[in-house]
Amino acid sequence: MPRKTLEPRFSVEFLSVLDADGNLDTTLEPDIAPERLQELYRAMLLGRRLDERMVRLQRQGRIGTFAPIKGQEASQMGSVFALRPTDWMVPSFRETAAMVWRGWPIEKLLLFFSGYVEGGQPAPDQHDLPVTIPVATQLPHAVGLAYAAQYRGDDVVVMAFFGDGATSEGDFHEALNFAGVWHVPVVFVCQNNQWAISVPLKKQTHSRTLAQKALAYGLPGIQVDGNDVLAVYAASREAVARARGGDGPTLIECVTYRLAMHTTADDPTKYRSEEEVREWERKDPLTRFAEHLKKRNLLPEGLEAEVDAEITAAVQRFEAVGPADPLSVFGHVYAELPAHLAAQRDDLAAWLQAARDPGQAEPEPPSPPMRGQRRTTRWQS
Amino acid sequence: MAKLNMVKALNLALLQEMERDEDIVVIGEDVGVDGGVFRVTEDLHRKFGSKRVIDSPLAEAGIIGASVGMALYGLKPVCEIQFSGFAFQCFHQIENHAARYRLRSQGRFHCQMVIRMPYGGGVRALEHHTESEEQFYAHIPGLTIVVPSGPRNARALLVSAIRDPDPVVFFEAKALYHAAKEDVPDEIEALPLRQAQIVREGTDLTLVAYGAMVRVAREAADVLAGEDGAQCEVIDLLTISPLDRQTVVASVQKTGRAVIVHEAPRSFGPGAEIAASIVEGAFLSLEAPIRRVTAWDVSFVGFARERTHIPDAGRVVAAVRETLAY
Ligand SMILES: Cc1ncc(C[n+]2csc(CCOP(=O)(O)OP(=O)(O)O)c2C)c(N)n1
C-alpha cells in the first residue's frame, strides 16, 4: 500500500511575439499578408476610437452604461481575427471591437447600450450570440453550439469570450469539463485584464496562471501576451486549427489590462493605483502594433480620420432612430402571443391612447420625492 | 393500443418523436445506459446511440447551458434534471437564458427545448426529492410549464412540448409514475399546450388542480357527490403557465364557487394567480370566497409528515363543504 507522489506532467506555455517597443521575434511571427495586418490594425483602432466616443456619448447622457475595452484591443482582435464568418462567436459584455469586426453595425451596438432590445438582434446570417450579462453563463452555450455543429457535421468552430473573474464561476468549470469530455470544437478566450470590477486577480484565484485550469479538464491551455496582437493571433490560429481538425477545445489566457473603468458607472481610482495604470499604458497594444507597422512601412496615413468618420456616420444613424415603441416588448416573449399577454398589450395600448388624447388623459401624478429631497406637496386627490 | 404507466408512456413519446426528428437529442445524468433513474429514457441509448442520448457529467448548469447552445444551433434537446430539487443549480440558465433568447435576439434565436423534471412528494423520499417547485418557473415569462396528470396525457403533452418552439418545463409527478396504467394509442397523439381540460362536469363548485392533485380532486368530487349530492366540476390545468384562464373563469361563472388544490406551498403559489384570475373574470358570479388547499409554507417536512403536508381528499372535501355552506 504505497504512498507515493504522482507527477502529472504538464507545463503552461507563454507566448509573446512583439515586445513593448514593437520589436518582432521573427521566428515566432505568424505569417499574415500585409493588407491583412493593416485590416487588423484598423479594427483595433476602430475599437479604441469607438470606445472613446462611447464614453463621451455616455457622459452626455446619449447612451447608457457600457463596459469599455481600452487596452484589450489586441486580445479581442487577435483572437476573433482567426475565425471565419461561418464560425460562431459567443461574447460577454466587453467585446465591442470584436463584435464590430464580426459584422455588428456600430449603430446597433449603440442602440443596445441605450436600452433598445433591438440592438441584441444579430443579422439573419450572422453566427454570433448577443451580449450576455451574467458572468460566465454564456460558456456552456458555446459548448452546446459546438456539440450541435459537430452533431450536424458542420465545419464550424466556436469561440467564447470571458474575463478573469468568470473563471471563478461554476459555469466556467462546467463548460470546460463538458468541452473536454465531448471533445468539441470550441476555443475559450479569457481576457485576463487583472481586475473583476475592484477585485484583483490575486483575490480571484490562487492559481499561478489561468491557462493551467485547462489542464485539469484535459485540454491544452496557453498563456499569451494579450497586448501583443501577433501572439494572440498565433495562439488563436493554432487553437482554431486544432478545433477544426477535430482535436478538441483549447483555453487561451490573454494577459492584458483594462486601462479604463470597469463600466462607465465605475470609479477605478478607488481601488487601483495610478502607477499601475501608467505601467500598463507603456504596454499599450495599439501603439506597440503601430510601431511595428511603421517599421515595415505599413502604417496607412489618415486612418484615424477615416475611422472617426465611420463612427460619426453610425452615431448619426443611431440618433435618427425614433423612440422605442412600448408595444413591441410583447412581440418576442413566445413564438405566438398568448392570450394573457395579448390582453396586457391591449391594456397598455389603451393607456397610451388615453395619454395621447388630452381630453381623456389622467393628470400625471407627481413623482415621489427622492431621498434627500424635501417633500413639498402631498400626493392626494 | 397498449396499457402503459406514465414512465412507459413518456418513454414512448420520446421514442416516437426521436424516430420522427433527428434534431431531437436527450441529455441528462444517467439518461443513457441506465435509462434515467426512473427509466423514462430506457432503451433510447441503444436505439439512437450516445451521440443523441447523452450521459452528461453531473452538472445541471452544464446540462441546461449546453442545451441552450444546442437549441440556438437548431437541435431540440430534451433535458432531464434528475430531481426538480436539483434544478436550482441551473435555474439561472433557465431564467437568464432559455426563457429569454427569443426576446434578447428579437426573434433571431429561440430555444426549442424541453426540461423534464420529476417533482413532488408522496413517495417517501429524502429532502430535495419531495418538494413541489413549479411556482418558481411559472413566474418566468417565455416559459411554458406543463404538468401532466396521467399516462395518456403525459405522452400527448410531451409530444407537444417537444414540438413547441419555446422552452417548456415539464414536471412529472413522481407519485404518478407507477400509479396507474391507461390505454395509450400506438399512433402519435398530441394534446394542445396551454389548454385546460374539464375532467368532471359539475354545477355546484369548481375544483382546479393539476399534476398529482388531479386524482385527489376527483376523489374528493366523488365523495361529495356520494355523501352531499354536490356536483363539483374538476378542471385539470395540464399547463399552469401560461394559464388557461378562460376555462377556469367560464366554469366559475357557471358554478359560482371555487376551490384550488396544489402541492406547492400556498403563499405566492399558483393558487394565488388562479384566484386572482377568477376574481378578475368572474367576480359577480362568486357566491363564496375562493379557497386554496395546498401544502403548507414549509420548505421540507420529511416523509414521516408528508401525509399531513400534501393535500388529500379529506382536506379538499372539508374546504368544499365550507365553501358550499358559506
Ligand atoms: C453572475 C454574475 N455575477 C455578478 C455580476 C456583476 N458583475 C458584472 S461584471 C463583473 C466582474 C467581471 O469580471 P471579469 O470576469 O474579470 O470580466 P471583466 O469585467 O474584467 O471583463 C461582475 C461581478 C454579473 N454580471 N454576473
Side-chain angles (χ1 to χ4, degrees):
Chain A
M1 249 167 268
R3 174 175 173 143
K4 59 183 184 185
T5 304
L6 298 176
E7 291 183 354
R9 258 170 298 137
F10 68 79
S11 56
V12 173
E13 251 190 294
F14 177 85
L15 179 65
S16 142
V17 180
L18 267 184
D19 74 10
D21 302 320
N23 300 312
L24 186 70
D25 182 335
T26 45
T27 58
L28 294 175
E29 183 191 4
D31 114 75
I32 314 180
E35 328 62 270
R36 294 277 288 159
L37 284 175
Q38 288 174 325
E39 275 180 64
L40 189 51
Y41 179 73
R42 188 185 191 281
M44 287 170 64
L45 183 68
L46 179 69
R48 173 69 58 95
R49 303 294 287 187
L50 176 60
D51 218 49
E52 288 166 356
R53 176 67 76 92
M54 284 169 77
V55 174
R56 286 202 301 277
L57 290 173
Q58 192 277 334
R59 295 301 188 233
Q60 294 159 357
R62 289 154 79 190
I63 67 169
T65 305
F66 82 100
I69 65 159
K70 187 176 179 186
Q72 301 184 211
E73 294 87 351
S75 298
Q76 272 181 36
M77 287 313 308
S79 49
V80 87
F81 201 67
L83 294 179
R84 299 175 184 165
T86 46
D87 292 332
W88 283 72
M89 178 204 176
V90 178
S92 76
F93 45 77
R94 201 186 292 284
E95 277 70 60
T96 337
M99 287 175 78
V100 173
W101 174 256
R102 291 283 298 173
W104 291 79
I106 293 171
E107 59 269 31
K108 207 174 226 181
L109 293 177
L110 295 173
L111 275 174
F112 178 81
F113 288 111
S114 305
Y116 282 66
V117 201
E118 290 84 342
Q121 185 181 48
D125 57 348
Q126 201 180 346
H127 291 178
D128 291 23
L129 298 191
V131 163
T132 297
I133 302 296
V135 166
T137 59
Q138 75 278 21
L139 302 178
H141 307 172
V143 178
L145 285 169
Y147 187 94
Q150 201 174 58
Y151 180 90
R152 292 258 180 95
D154 295 345
D155 178 16
V156 157
V157 173
V158 184
M159 183 178 274
F161 289 89
F162 53 102
D164 40 300
T167 66
S168 299
E169 286 278 5
D171 284 49
F172 165 80
H173 296 274
E174 296 187 31
L176 262 71
N177 190 46
F178 275 53
V181 171
W182 291 350
H183 207 63
V184 287
V186 56
V187 179
F188 297 101
V189 180
C190 177
Q191 295 181 69
N192 171 8
N193 64 10
Q194 312 303 324
W195 292 89
I197 310 187
S198 69
V199 179
L201 186 65
K202 66 176 186 301
K203 285 195 185 170
Q204 198 68 246
T205 179
H206 195 52
S207 276
R208 167 83 179 74
T209 67
L210 295 174
Q212 77 197 53
K213 290 176 189 272
L215 304 172
Y217 304 104
L219 344 170
I222 182 170
Q223 191 182 64
V224 301
D225 180 344
N227 284 14
D228 167 2
V229 71
L230 297 181
V232 177
Y233 176 69
S236 304
R237 195 175 60 173
E238 206 172 287
V240 167
R242 181 179 301 130
R244 211 182 290 290
D247 293 323
T250 306
L251 170 63
I252 300 174
E253 174 190 358
C254 301
V255 180
T256 181
Y257 195 79
R258 155 168 67 75
L259 287 171
M261 56 299 244
H262 167 70
T263 66
T264 47
D266 170 55
D267 173 13
T269 61
K270 275 182 72 181
Y271 54 79
R272 67 186 190 188
S273 71
E274 245 180 78
E275 298 83 77
E276 179 183 300
V277 180
R278 255 185 268 122
E279 198 176 305
W280 279 94
E281 272 169 354
R282 279 195 287 277
K283 303 182 198 165
D284 188 316
L286 211 62
T287 48
R288 183 190 304 194
F289 194 36
E291 281 306 312
H292 168 69
L293 293 182
K294 209 185 287 170
K295 280 181 196 151
R296 295 181 55 183
N297 250 337
L298 288 175
L299 198 63
E301 303 242 323
L303 193 57
E304 281 193 17
E306 186 192 315
V307 160
D308 285 346
E310 184 181 332
I311 294 169
T312 301
V315 171
Q316 279 163 359
R317 285 193 297 274
F318 154 70
E319 300 221 301
V321 173
D325 173 8
L327 295 181
S328 68
V329 300
F330 299 102
H332 294 288
V333 182
Y334 294 94
E336 259 178 65
L337 192 67
H340 75 287
L341 276 185
Q344 291 176 23
R345 190 194 53 189
D346 294 347
D347 279 358
L348 177 57
W351 167 255
L352 293 170
Q353 189 56 43
R356 264 183 225 118
D357 177 352
Q360 288 181 16
E362 300 266 326
E364 252 194 50
S367 47
M370 305 274 284
R371 209 162 33 147
Q373 195 180 324
R374 280 193 57 201
R375 190 182 274 260
T376 49
T377 50
R378 279 179 70 82
W379 161 238
Q380 13 97 307
S381 68
Chain B
M1 191 80 84
K3 274 210 173 303
L4 302 178
N5 65 21
M6 194 155 119
V7 170
K8 292 268 193 266
L10 291 164
N11 183 263
L12 179 65
L14 288 169
L15 174 74
Q16 290 182 321
E17 284 300 280
M18 289 182 83
E19 278 171 347
R20 189 186 58 80
D21 184 350
E22 272 204 2
D23 282 337
I24 299 169
V25 298
V26 164
I27 174 171
E29 294 154 15
D30 306 293
V31 296
V33 180
D34 198 33
V37 294
F38 291 102
R39 305 281 179 263
V40 171
T41 57
E42 182 119 68
D43 275 345
L44 298 177
H45 175 262
R46 214 162 39 76
K47 295 199 170 93
F48 301 107
S50 58
K51 215 174 133 189
R52 286 188 72 189
V53 183
I54 307 161
D55 266 330
S56 78
L58 206 170
E60 289 75 16
I63 292 168
I64 302 304
S67 296
V68 166
M70 293 181 200
L72 296 173
Y73 203 90
L75 299 188
K76 297 161 189 166
V78 181
C79 320
E80 179 175 294
I81 296 298
Q82 209 155 63
F83 289 91
S84 63
F86 305 121
F88 295 101
Q89 272 86 330
C90 59
F91 190 77
H92 67 300
Q93 285 292 349
I94 299 174
E95 203 282 338
N96 291 339
H97 297 303
R100 294 181 187 221
Y101 256 108
R102 182 184 291 284
L103 186 71
R104 180 183 295 148
S105 69
Q106 291 288 284
R108 166 68 207 282
F109 297 119
H110 64 279
C111 293
Q112 177 160 358
M113 59 192 284
V114 180
I115 303 164
R116 295 182 33 243
M117 34 178 133
Y119 84 98
V123 292
R124 301 179 63 77
L126 303 168
E127 188 176 6
H128 305 297
H129 296 71
T130 296
E131 299 82 352
S132 200
E133 297 110 342
E134 62 278 13
Q135 66 278 18
F136 291 101
Y137 305 87
H139 191 67
I140 301 173
L143 294 183
T144 299
I145 315 304
V146 174
V147 195
S149 61
R152 185 165 176 178
N153 64 34
R155 189 270 197 119
L157 287 167
L158 183 55
V159 166
S160 302
I162 292 171
R163 296 178 185 184
D164 194 86
D166 291 308
V168 176
V169 184
F170 195 87
F171 283 100
E172 298 162 12
K174 291 187 281 291
L176 297 181
Y177 270 147
H178 300 282
K181 288 187 179 178
E182 261 175 22
D183 283 331
V184 176
D186 301 330
E187 63 280 6
I188 296 183
E189 188 181 46
L191 262 181
L193 303 184
R194 307 171 188 171
Q195 209 163 297
Q197 274 181 357
I198 295 173
V199 293
R200 189 186 203 286
E201 305 252 355
T203 47
D204 300 324
L205 180 140
T206 302
L207 275 171
V208 185
Y210 57 89
M213 289 300 106
V214 172
R215 66 177 180 168
V216 172
R218 294 176 87 152
E219 200 185 315
D222 288 342
V223 170
L224 288 154
E227 294 180 9
D228 305 48
Q231 295 307 321
C232 293
E233 182 141 296
V234 179
I235 294 180
D236 181 352
L237 288 178
L238 298 173
T239 296
I240 59 169
S241 175
L243 181 66
D244 177 1
R245 289 160 218 269
Q246 238 179 341
T247 299
V248 176
V249 164
S251 173
V252 178
Q253 278 168 348
K254 182 175 72 177
T255 64
R257 292 178 163 85
V259 171
I260 302 154
V261 191
H262 64 61
E263 207 179 317
R266 179 169 311 165
S267 297
F268 305 94
E273 182 60 34
I274 297 165
S277 301
I278 293 172
V279 170
E280 284 163 5
F283 180 66
L284 293 177
S285 310
L286 281 173
E287 310 268 358
I290 302 161
R291 281 186 169 70
R292 288 174 284 172
V293 184
T294 67
W296 315 117
D297 289 348
V298 172
S299 50
F300 173 65
V301 294
F303 59 72
R305 297 194 184 83
E306 260 185 347
R307 287 188 45 204
T308 51
H309 183 67
I310 301 171
D312 62 10
R315 269 171 67 195
V316 177
V317 167
V320 169
R321 286 186 178 143
E322 268 181 61
T323 309
L324 288 173
Y326 182 82

